[in-house]
Amino acid sequence: MKMQRAIPMLPVRHMPTSVGFYAKLGFAVEKRNDEWRWAMLVLDECRLMVDESINQPPDAPRTSVIYLYPDDIFAYHRDLRRRGLDVPSISHPFYGMSEFRIEDPDGNRLWIGQRTGS
């Protein structure tokens, strides 16, 4: 048996707001069902789902972290700032990455990084 893939499903308060936020990150809508309040988003080989129906209770704090690996962290960082996102400066933590961290409108955490050395 071989695992084919994993796709995170994030609980959100308002699917259209989340779709708009992730569009600024470069994600496009692959599938969307407004009746279900659910969408599948895609950016190159990455996919994630946003879903209002699993947001129980709606005011619960988020604890998920998704780590995104662009092939050029510096170009992606500049692009996000051009798109109007308030992103922090790139840091270089002890574990050999160049990265920055943001949250989506629902508090789901996104860490975005690229390995800096071997």
Side-chain angles (χ1 to χ4, degrees), residues 1-5:
M1 195 225 33
K2 179 180 174 185
M3 185 66 63
Q4 296 296 314
R5 63 181 165 170

Side-chain angles (χ1 to χ4, degrees), residues 23-86:
K24 290 181 180 178
L25 294 178
F27 282 85
V29 174
E30 183 176 65
K31 297 177 187 174
R32 179 174 170 161
N33 188 311
D34 289 334
E35 183 180 334
W36 298 349
R37 303 176 335 267
W38 168 91
M40 171 79 77
L41 308 177
V42 62
L43 173 58
D44 299 322
E45 298 301 315
C46 300
R47 284 180 171 66
L48 64 89
M49 293 180 266
V50 292
D51 190 341
E52 284 182 52
S53 70
I54 61 172
N55 191 30
Q56 303 294 328
D59 57 350
R62 304 298 181 256
T63 57
S64 62
V65 176
I66 295 177
Y67 207 106
L68 299 173
Y69 295 88
D71 61 358
D72 185 339
I73 184 77
F74 301 101
Y76 189 60
H77 187 265
R78 284 190 303 272
D79 189 46
L80 294 184
R81 285 190 169 171
R82 276 195 298 268
R83 294 176 190 207
L85 284 176
D86 183 20

